[in-house]
Coordinates of all heavy atoms in Angstrom, one line a residue:
M21 N 15.5 -9.4 -9.8 CA 15.0 -9.3 -8.4 C 13.7 -10.1 -8.2 O 12.8 -10.0 -9.1 CB 14.9 -7.8 -8.1 CG 14.5 -7.6 -6.6 SD 14.5 -5.9 -6.2 CE 16.2 -5.6 -6.1
D22 N 13.6 -10.8 -7.1 CA 12.4 -11.5 -6.8 C 11.3 -10.6 -6.4 O 11.5 -9.6 -5.8 CB 12.7 -12.5 -5.7 CG 13.7 -13.5 -6.1 OD1 14.1 -13.7 -7.3 OD2 14.2 -14.2 -5.2
T23 N 10.0 -11.0 -6.7 CA 8.9 -10.3 -6.2 C 8.1 -11.1 -5.2 O 8.2 -12.4 -5.2 CB 7.9 -9.9 -7.4 OG1 7.3 -11.1 -7.9 CG2 8.6 -9.1 -8.4
R24 N 7.3 -10.5 -4.4 CA 6.6 -11.1 -3.3 C 5.2 -10.6 -3.3 O 5.0 -9.4 -3.5 CB 7.3 -10.9 -2.0 CG 6.8 -11.7 -0.9 CD 7.8 -11.6 0.3 NE 7.4 -12.6 1.3 CZ 8.0 -12.7 2.4 NH1 9.1 -12.0 2.7 NH2 7.7 -13.6 3.3
V25 N 4.2 -11.4 -3.0 CA 2.8 -11.0 -2.9 C 2.6 -10.5 -1.4 O 3.0 -11.2 -0.5 CB 1.8 -12.1 -3.3 CG1 0.4 -11.7 -3.0 CG2 2.1 -12.5 -4.7
A26 N 2.0 -9.4 -1.3 CA 1.7 -8.8 0.0 C 0.4 -8.0 0.0 O -0.1 -7.7 -1.1 CB 2.8 -7.9 0.5
V27 N -0.1 -7.8 1.2 CA -1.3 -6.9 1.4 C -0.9 -5.8 2.3 O -0.4 -6.0 3.4 CB -2.5 -7.7 2.0 CG1 -3.7 -6.7 2.2 CG2 -2.9 -8.8 1.1
I28 N -1.2 -4.6 1.9 CA -0.9 -3.4 2.7 C -2.3 -2.9 3.2 O -3.1 -2.6 2.4 CB -0.2 -2.3 2.0 CG1 1.2 -2.8 1.5 CG2 0.0 -1.1 2.9 CD1 1.9 -1.8 0.6
S29 N -2.5 -2.9 4.5 CA -3.8 -2.4 5.1 C -3.6 -1.0 5.5 O -2.6 -0.8 6.3 CB -4.2 -3.3 6.2 OG -4.4 -4.6 5.8
I30 N -4.5 -0.1 5.2 CA -4.3 1.3 5.4 C -5.6 1.8 6.1 O -6.7 1.5 5.6 CB -4.0 2.1 4.1 CG1 -2.8 1.5 3.4 CG2 -3.8 3.6 4.4 CD1 -2.7 1.9 1.9
I31 N -5.4 2.6 7.2 CA -6.5 3.3 7.8 C -6.2 4.8 7.7 O -5.2 5.2 8.2 CB -6.8 2.9 9.2 CG1 -7.1 1.4 9.2 CG2 -7.9 3.7 9.9 CD1 -7.3 0.8 10.6
V32 N -7.1 5.5 7.0 CA -6.9 7.0 6.9 C -7.9 7.7 7.8 O -9.1 7.6 7.6 CB -7.2 7.4 5.4 CG1 -6.9 8.9 5.2 CG2 -6.3 6.6 4.4
E33 N -7.3 8.4 8.8 CA -8.1 9.2 9.7 C -8.1 10.7 9.3 O -9.0 11.5 9.6 CB -7.6 9.1 11.1 CG -7.6 7.7 11.6 CD -6.9 7.5 13.0 OE1 -6.6 8.5 13.6 OE2 -6.7 6.4 13.4
N34 N -7.1 11.1 8.5 CA -6.9 12.5 8.1 C -7.3 12.6 6.6 O -6.5 12.2 5.7 CB -5.4 12.9 8.3 CG -5.2 14.3 7.8 OD1 -6.0 15.0 7.4 ND2 -3.9 14.7 8.0
K35 N -8.4 13.1 6.3 CA -8.9 13.2 4.9 C -7.9 14.1 4.0 O -7.9 13.9 2.8 CB -10.3 13.9 4.9 CG -11.3 13.1 5.7 CD -12.2 12.3 4.8 CE -13.3 11.7 5.5 NZ -13.3 10.3 5.5
N36 N -7.2 15.0 4.6 CA -6.2 15.8 3.9 C -5.0 14.9 3.3 O -4.3 15.4 2.5 CB -5.6 16.9 4.8 CG -6.7 17.9 5.2 OD1 -7.6 18.1 4.4 ND2 -6.6 18.4 6.4
A37 N -4.9 13.7 3.8 CA -3.8 12.8 3.4 C -4.2 12.0 2.1 O -3.3 11.4 1.5 CB -3.4 11.9 4.5
I38 N -5.4 12.0 1.7 CA -5.9 11.2 0.6 C -5.2 11.5 -0.7 O -4.7 10.6 -1.4 CB -7.4 11.4 0.4 CG1 -8.2 10.9 1.6 CG2 -7.9 10.6 -0.8 CD1 -8.3 9.4 1.8
E39 N -5.0 12.8 -1.0 CA -4.3 13.1 -2.3 C -2.9 12.6 -2.3 O -2.5 12.0 -3.3 CB -4.3 14.6 -2.5 CG -3.8 15.1 -3.8 CD -3.9 16.6 -4.1 OE1 -4.8 17.2 -3.4 OE2 -3.2 17.1 -4.9
R40 N -2.2 12.8 -1.2 CA -0.8 12.3 -1.2 C -0.7 10.8 -1.2 O 0.1 10.2 -1.9 CB -0.1 12.8 0.1 CG 1.3 12.3 0.4 CD 2.3 12.9 -0.5 NE 3.6 12.4 -0.2 CZ 4.5 11.9 -1.1 NH1 4.2 11.9 -2.3 NH2 5.6 11.4 -0.7
L41 N -1.6 10.1 -0.5 CA -1.7 8.7 -0.6 C -2.0 8.2 -2.0 O -1.3 7.3 -2.4 CB -2.8 8.2 0.4 CG -3.1 6.7 0.4 CD1 -1.8 5.9 0.8 CD2 -4.3 6.3 1.3
N42 N -2.9 8.8 -2.7 CA -3.2 8.4 -4.0 C -2.0 8.6 -4.9 O -1.7 7.7 -5.8 CB -4.4 9.1 -4.6 CG -5.7 8.6 -4.1 OD1 -5.8 7.4 -3.7 ND2 -6.7 9.4 -3.9
H43 N -1.2 9.6 -4.7 CA 0.0 9.9 -5.5 C 1.0 8.8 -5.3 O 1.6 8.2 -6.2 CB 0.6 11.2 -5.1 CG 1.9 11.5 -5.9 ND1 1.9 11.9 -7.2 CD2 3.1 11.5 -5.4 CE1 3.2 12.0 -7.6 NE2 3.9 11.9 -6.5
L44 N 1.2 8.4 -4.0 CA 2.2 7.3 -3.7 C 1.7 6.0 -4.3 O 2.6 5.3 -4.9 CB 2.3 7.1 -2.2 CG 3.0 8.2 -1.4 CD1 2.8 7.9 0.1 CD2 4.4 8.3 -1.8
L45 N 0.4 5.7 -4.3 CA 0.0 4.5 -4.9 C 0.1 4.5 -6.4 O 0.4 3.5 -7.0 CB -1.5 4.2 -4.5 CG -1.7 4.0 -3.0 CD1 -3.2 3.8 -2.7 CD2 -0.9 2.8 -2.5
Q46 N -0.1 5.6 -7.0 CA 0.0 5.8 -8.5 C 1.5 5.5 -8.9 O 1.7 4.9 -9.9 CB -0.4 7.2 -8.9 CG -0.3 7.4 -10.4 CD -1.1 6.5 -11.2 OE1 -2.2 6.1 -10.8 NE2 -0.6 6.1 -12.4
E47 N 2.4 6.0 -8.1 CA 3.9 5.7 -8.4 C 4.2 4.2 -8.4 O 5.1 3.9 -9.1 CB 4.7 6.4 -7.3 CG 4.8 7.9 -7.4 CD 5.6 8.5 -6.3 OE1 5.9 7.9 -5.3 OE2 5.9 9.7 -6.5
E48 N 3.5 3.4 -7.7 CA 3.7 2.0 -7.6 C 2.7 1.2 -8.4 O 2.5 0.0 -8.2 CB 3.8 1.5 -6.2 CG 4.9 2.2 -5.4 CD 6.3 2.0 -5.9 OE1 6.6 0.9 -6.6 OE2 7.2 2.8 -5.7
S49 N 1.9 1.8 -9.3 CA 0.8 1.2 -9.9 C 1.1 0.0 -10.7 O 0.3 -1.0 -10.9 CB 0.0 2.2 -10.8 OG 0.8 2.7 -11.8
E50 N 2.4 -0.1 -11.2 CA 2.8 -1.3 -12.1 C 2.8 -2.5 -11.2 O 2.7 -3.6 -11.8 CB 4.1 -1.0 -12.7 CG 5.3 -1.0 -11.7 CD 6.6 -0.7 -12.4 OE1 7.2 -1.6 -13.0 OE2 7.0 0.5 -12.4
Y51 N 2.9 -2.4 -9.9 CA 3.0 -3.6 -9.0 C 1.7 -3.9 -8.3 O 1.5 -5.0 -7.8 CB 4.0 -3.3 -7.9 CG 5.4 -3.1 -8.5 CD1 6.1 -1.9 -8.4 CD2 6.1 -4.2 -9.1 CE1 7.4 -1.7 -8.8 CE2 7.4 -4.0 -9.5 CZ 8.0 -2.7 -9.4 OH 9.3 -2.6 -9.9
I52 N 0.7 -3.0 -8.3 CA -0.5 -3.1 -7.6 C -1.5 -4.0 -8.4 O -1.8 -3.7 -9.6 CB -1.2 -1.8 -7.3 CG1 -0.3 -1.0 -6.3 CG2 -2.6 -2.0 -6.7 CD1 -0.7 0.4 -5.9
I53 N -1.9 -5.1 -7.8 CA -2.8 -6.1 -8.4 C -4.2 -5.6 -8.2 O -5.1 -5.7 -9.1 CB -2.6 -7.5 -7.8 CG1 -1.2 -8.0 -8.0 CG2 -3.6 -8.4 -8.3 CD1 -0.8 -9.1 -7.2
G54 N -4.6 -5.1 -7.0 CA -5.9 -4.7 -6.7 C -6.0 -3.8 -5.5 O -5.0 -3.7 -4.7
R55 N -7.1 -3.0 -5.5 CA -7.2 -2.1 -4.4 C -8.7 -2.1 -4.0 O -9.6 -2.1 -4.9 CB -6.8 -0.7 -4.9 CG -7.1 0.4 -3.9 CD -6.7 1.8 -4.6 NE -7.1 2.9 -3.7 CZ -6.7 4.1 -3.9 NH1 -5.8 4.4 -4.8 NH2 -7.1 5.0 -3.1
M56 N -9.0 -2.1 -2.7 CA -10.3 -2.0 -2.2 C -10.4 -0.9 -1.1 O -9.6 -0.9 -0.2 CB -10.8 -3.3 -1.6 CG -12.2 -3.3 -1.1 SD -12.8 -4.8 -0.3 CE -11.7 -4.9 1.1
G57 N -11.3 0.0 -1.3 CA -11.5 1.0 -0.3 C -12.9 1.0 0.3 O -13.9 0.9 -0.4
V58 N -13.0 1.2 1.6 CA -14.3 1.2 2.3 C -14.3 2.4 3.2 O -13.6 2.5 4.2 CB -14.4 -0.1 3.2 CG1 -15.8 -0.1 3.9 CG2 -14.3 -1.4 2.4
P59 N -15.3 3.3 2.9 CA -15.4 4.5 3.7 C -16.3 4.1 5.0 O -17.4 3.5 4.8 CB -16.2 5.5 2.9 CG -16.9 4.7 1.9 CD -16.1 3.4 1.7
Y60 N -15.8 4.4 6.1 CA -16.6 4.1 7.4 C -17.0 5.4 7.9 O -16.4 6.0 8.8 CB -15.7 3.3 8.3 CG -16.4 2.7 9.5 CD1 -15.7 2.0 10.5 CD2 -17.7 2.9 9.7 CE1 -16.3 1.5 11.6 CE2 -18.4 2.3 10.8 CZ -17.6 1.6 11.8 OH -18.2 1.1 12.9
R61 N -18.1 5.9 7.3 CA -18.5 7.3 7.6 C -18.9 7.6 9.0 O -18.6 8.6 9.6 CB -19.7 7.6 6.7 CG -19.3 7.8 5.2 CD -20.5 8.0 4.3 NE -20.2 8.0 2.9 CZ -20.2 6.9 2.2 NH1 -20.6 5.7 2.7 NH2 -19.8 6.9 0.9
E62 N -19.4 6.6 9.7 CA -19.8 6.7 11.1 C -18.6 7.0 12.0 O -18.8 7.7 13.0 CB -20.6 5.5 11.6 CG -21.9 5.3 11.0 CD -21.8 4.5 9.6 OE1 -20.7 4.0 9.3 OE2 -22.8 4.5 8.9
K63 N -17.5 6.5 11.6 CA -16.3 6.7 12.4 C -15.3 7.8 11.8 O -14.3 8.1 12.3 CB -15.5 5.4 12.6 CG -16.3 4.3 13.3 CD -16.6 4.7 14.7 CE -17.3 3.5 15.4 NZ -17.6 3.8 16.8
G64 N -15.7 8.2 10.6 CA -14.9 9.3 9.9 C -13.5 8.8 9.4 O -12.5 9.5 9.4
V65 N -13.4 7.5 9.1 CA -12.2 6.9 8.5 C -12.4 6.2 7.2 O -13.6 5.9 6.9 CB -11.5 5.9 9.5 CG1 -11.2 6.6 10.8 CG2 -12.4 4.7 9.8
S66 N -11.4 6.0 6.5 CA -11.4 5.2 5.3 C -10.4 4.0 5.5 O -9.3 4.2 6.0 CB -11.0 6.0 4.1 OG -11.9 7.0 3.8
I67 N -10.9 2.8 5.1 CA -10.1 1.6 5.2 C -9.8 1.2 3.8 O -10.7 1.0 3.0 CB -10.8 0.6 6.0 CG1 -11.1 1.1 7.4 CG2 -10.0 -0.7 6.1 CD1 -12.5 0.8 7.9
I68 N -8.5 1.0 3.5 CA -8.0 0.6 2.2 C -7.1 -0.6 2.3 O -6.2 -0.7 3.1 CB -7.3 1.8 1.5 CG1 -8.1 3.0 1.5 CG2 -6.8 1.4 0.1 CD1 -7.4 4.3 1.1
S69 N -7.3 -1.6 1.4 CA -6.4 -2.7 1.2 C -5.8 -2.7 -0.1 O -6.5 -2.5 -1.1 CB -7.2 -4.0 1.4 OG -7.8 -4.1 2.7
I70 N -4.5 -2.9 -0.2 CA -3.8 -2.9 -1.4 C -3.1 -4.3 -1.6 O -2.4 -4.7 -0.7 CB -2.6 -1.8 -1.5 CG1 -3.2 -0.4 -1.2 CG2 -1.9 -1.8 -2.7 CD1 -4.2 0.1 -2.2
V71 N -3.4 -4.9 -2.7 CA -2.7 -6.2 -3.0 C -1.6 -5.9 -4.0 O -1.8 -5.3 -5.0 CB -3.7 -7.3 -3.6 CG1 -2.9 -8.6 -3.9 CG2 -4.8 -7.5 -2.6
I72 N -0.4 -6.3 -3.6 CA 0.8 -5.9 -4.4 C 1.7 -7.1 -4.6 O 1.8 -8.0 -3.8 CB 1.5 -4.7 -3.7 CG1 2.6 -4.1 -4.5 CG2 2.0 -5.1 -2.3 CD1 3.1 -2.8 -4.0
D73 N 2.3 -7.1 -5.8 CA 3.3 -8.1 -6.2 C 4.5 -7.4 -6.6 O 4.6 -6.9 -7.8 CB 2.8 -9.1 -7.2 CG 3.7 -10.2 -7.5 OD1 4.8 -10.3 -6.9 OD2 3.4 -11.1 -8.4
A74 N 5.5 -7.2 -5.8 CA 6.7 -6.3 -6.0 C 7.9 -6.9 -5.3 O 7.8 -7.7 -4.4 CB 6.3 -4.9 -5.6
P75 N 9.1 -6.3 -5.6 CA 10.2 -6.6 -4.9 C 10.0 -6.2 -3.4 O 9.3 -5.2 -3.1 CB 11.3 -5.8 -5.5 CG 10.9 -5.6 -6.9 CD 9.4 -5.5 -6.8
Q76 N 10.5 -7.0 -2.5 CA 10.2 -6.7 -1.1 C 10.7 -5.3 -0.6 O 10.0 -4.7 0.2 CB 10.9 -7.8 -0.2 CG 10.5 -7.6 1.3 CD 10.7 -8.8 2.1 OE1 10.8 -9.9 1.6 NE2 10.7 -8.6 3.4
D77 N 11.8 -4.8 -1.2 CA 12.2 -3.5 -0.8 C 11.2 -2.4 -1.2 O 11.0 -1.4 -0.6 CB 13.6 -3.2 -1.2 CG 13.8 -3.2 -2.7 OD1 13.1 -3.9 -3.4 OD2 14.7 -2.5 -3.2
R78 N 10.6 -2.6 -2.4 CA 9.6 -1.6 -2.9 C 8.4 -1.7 -2.0 O 7.8 -0.6 -1.7 CB 9.2 -2.0 -4.3 CG 10.2 -1.9 -5.4 CD 10.7 -0.5 -5.7 NE 9.8 0.4 -6.3 CZ 9.9 0.8 -7.6 NH1 10.8 0.3 -8.4 NH2 9.0 1.7 -8.0
I79 N 7.9 -2.9 -1.6 CA 6.8 -3.0 -0.7 C 7.1 -2.3 0.7 O 6.3 -1.5 1.2 CB 6.4 -4.5 -0.4 CG1 6.0 -5.1 -1.8 CG2 5.3 -4.6 0.6 CD1 5.9 -6.6 -1.7
S80 N 8.3 -2.6 1.2 CA 8.6 -2.0 2.5 C 8.7 -0.5 2.4 O 8.3 0.3 3.3 CB 10.0 -2.5 3.0 OG 9.9 -3.9 3.2
T81 N 9.3 0.0 1.3 CA 9.4 1.5 1.1 C 8.1 2.1 1.0 O 7.8 3.2 1.7 CB 10.3 1.8 -0.1 OG1 11.6 1.2 0.1 CG2 10.4 3.3 -0.4
L82 N 7.2 1.6 0.2 CA 5.8 2.1 0.1 C 5.1 2.1 1.4 O 4.5 3.1 1.8 CB 5.0 1.3 -0.9 CG 3.6 1.7 -1.1 CD1 3.5 3.2 -1.6 CD2 2.9 0.8 -2.1
S83 N 5.1 1.0 2.1 CA 4.5 0.9 3.4 C 5.0 1.9 4.4 O 4.3 2.5 5.2 CB 4.6 -0.5 4.0 OG 3.9 -0.7 5.2
G84 N 6.3 2.1 4.4 CA 7.0 3.1 5.3 C 6.5 4.5 5.0 O 6.2 5.3 5.9
K85 N 6.5 4.8 3.7 CA 6.1 6.2 3.3 C 4.6 6.4 3.7 O 4.3 7.5 4.2 CB 6.2 6.4 1.8 CG 7.6 6.5 1.3 CD 7.6 6.7 -0.2 CE 9.0 6.8 -0.7 NZ 9.0 6.9 -2.2
I86 N 3.8 5.4 3.6 CA 2.4 5.6 3.9 C 2.3 5.7 5.4 O 1.5 6.6 5.9 CB 1.5 4.4 3.4 CG1 1.5 4.4 1.9 CG2 0.1 4.4 4.0 CD1 0.9 3.1 1.3
G87 N 3.0 4.9 6.2 CA 2.9 4.9 7.6 C 3.4 6.2 8.3 O 3.0 6.5 9.4
R88 N 4.3 6.9 7.6 CA 4.8 8.2 8.1 C 3.9 9.4 7.8 O 4.2 10.4 8.3 CB 6.2 8.4 7.5 CG 7.3 7.5 8.2 CD 8.7 8.0 7.8 NE 8.9 7.9 6.3 CZ 9.3 6.8 5.7 NH1 9.4 5.6 6.4 NH2 9.5 6.8 4.4
M89 N 2.8 9.1 7.1 CA 1.9 10.2 6.8 C 1.1 10.5 8.0 O 0.7 9.6 8.7 CB 1.0 9.8 5.6 CG 1.7 9.7 4.3 SD 0.6 9.1 3.0 CE -0.5 10.5 2.8
E90 N 0.8 11.8 8.3 CA 0.1 12.2 9.5 C -1.4 11.8 9.3 O -2.0 12.0 8.3 CB 0.1 13.7 9.6 CG -0.6 14.2 10.9 CD -0.4 15.7 11.1 OE1 0.6 16.3 10.6 OE2 -1.3 16.3 11.7
G91 N -1.9 11.0 10.3 CA -3.3 10.6 10.3 C -3.5 9.4 9.4 O -4.7 9.1 9.1
V92 N -2.5 8.6 9.1 CA -2.6 7.4 8.3 C -1.8 6.3 9.0 O -0.6 6.5 9.4 CB -2.0 7.6 6.9 CG1 -2.2 6.4 6.0 CG2 -2.7 8.8 6.2
S93 N -2.4 5.1 9.1 CA -1.7 3.9 9.6 C -1.6 2.9 8.6 O -2.5 2.7 7.8 CB -2.5 3.4 10.8 OG -2.7 4.3 11.8
A94 N -0.5 2.1 8.6 CA -0.4 1.1 7.6 C 0.3 -0.1 8.2 O 1.2 0.0 9.0 CB 0.5 1.6 6.4
K95 N -0.1 -1.3 7.8 CA 0.5 -2.6 8.2 C 0.6 -3.4 7.0 O -0.3 -3.4 6.1 CB -0.4 -3.3 9.3 CG -0.6 -2.6 10.6 CD 0.7 -2.7 11.4 CE 0.4 -2.1 12.7 NZ 1.6 -2.0 13.6
T96 N 1.6 -4.2 6.9 CA 1.8 -5.1 5.7 C 1.9 -6.5 6.2 O 2.6 -6.9 7.1 CB 3.1 -4.7 5.0 OG1 3.1 -3.3 4.7 CG2 3.4 -5.5 3.8
A97 N 1.2 -7.4 5.4 CA 1.2 -8.8 5.6 C 1.9 -9.4 4.3 O 1.4 -9.2 3.2 CB -0.1 -9.4 5.8
Y98 N 3.0 -10.2 4.5 CA 3.7 -10.8 3.4 C 3.3 -12.2 3.3 O 3.2 -12.9 4.3 CB 5.2 -10.7 3.6 CG 5.8 -9.3 3.6 CD1 5.9 -8.6 4.8 CD2 6.1 -8.7 2.4 CE1 6.5 -7.3 4.7 CE2 6.7 -7.5 2.4 CZ 6.8 -6.8 3.5 OH 7.4 -5.5 3.5
S99 N 3.1 -12.6 2.0 CA 2.8 -14.1 1.8 C 4.2 -14.8 1.6 O 5.2 -14.1 1.5 CB 2.0 -14.2 0.5 OG 2.8 -14.0 -0.6
N100 N 4.1 -16.1 1.5 CA 5.3 -16.9 1.1 C 5.4 -17.1 -0.4 O 6.2 -17.9 -0.8 CB 5.3 -18.2 1.9 CG 5.5 -18.0 3.3 OD1 6.3 -17.2 3.8 ND2 4.8 -18.7 4.2
V101 N 4.5 -16.4 -1.2 CA 4.5 -16.5 -2.6 C 5.6 -15.6 -3.2 O 5.4 -14.4 -3.2 CB 3.2 -16.2 -3.2 CG1 3.2 -16.3 -4.7 CG2 2.1 -17.1 -2.6
I102 N 6.7 -16.2 -3.6 CA 7.8 -15.4 -4.1 C 8.1 -15.9 -5.6 O 8.1 -17.1 -5.8 CB 9.1 -15.6 -3.3 CG1 8.8 -15.1 -1.8 CG2 10.3 -14.9 -3.9 CD1 9.9 -15.4 -0.8
T103 N 8.2 -14.9 -6.5 CA 8.4 -15.2 -7.9 C 9.8 -14.8 -8.2 O 10.2 -13.7 -8.0 CB 7.4 -14.5 -8.8 OG1 6.1 -14.8 -8.3 CG2 7.6 -14.8 -10.2
K104 N 10.6 -15.8 -8.8 CA 11.9 -15.5 -9.3 C 11.8 -14.7 -10.6 O 11.2 -15.2 -11.5 CB 12.7 -16.8 -9.5 CG 12.9 -17.6 -8.3 CD 13.9 -17.0 -7.4 CE 14.1 -18.0 -6.2 NZ 14.8 -17.3 -5.1
V105 N 12.4 -13.6 -10.7 CA 12.3 -12.8 -11.9 C 13.7 -12.7 -12.5 O 14.7 -12.4 -11.8 CB 11.9 -11.3 -11.6 CG1 11.9 -10.5 -12.8 CG2 10.5 -11.3 -11.0
Q106 N 13.9 -13.2 -13.7 CA 15.2 -13.2 -14.4 C 15.4 -11.8 -15.0 O 14.6 -11.2 -15.6 CB 15.2 -14.2 -15.5 CG 15.1 -15.6 -15.0 CD 15.1 -16.6 -16.1 OE1 15.3 -16.3 -17.3 NE2 15.0 -17.9 -15.8
E107 N 16.6 -11.3 -14.7 CA 17.0 -9.9 -15.2 C 17.8 -10.0 -16.5 O 18.3 -10.9 -16.8 CB 17.8 -9.2 -14.1 CG 17.0 -9.0 -12.9 CD 17.7 -8.3 -11.8 OE1 18.7 -7.6 -12.0 OE2 17.4 -8.5 -10.6

């Protein structure tokens, strides 16, 4: 299955969602290249960027799970960098 490089941008407004979010990211840790989190204390939100290189269905599934969490928003930007993986 081919992999694709993408960035998932996440805004967390509900601090109670952090533990579940970290669990979801841990489940996909083999695909995550990097993660950057910025707490915006003045607005009471956390902004997180995840760089991932994974099969497109895994990226879509992860982004969907994150986006369905209460108080959490997620958007995904896909690159055109696709790697052919031989099975």
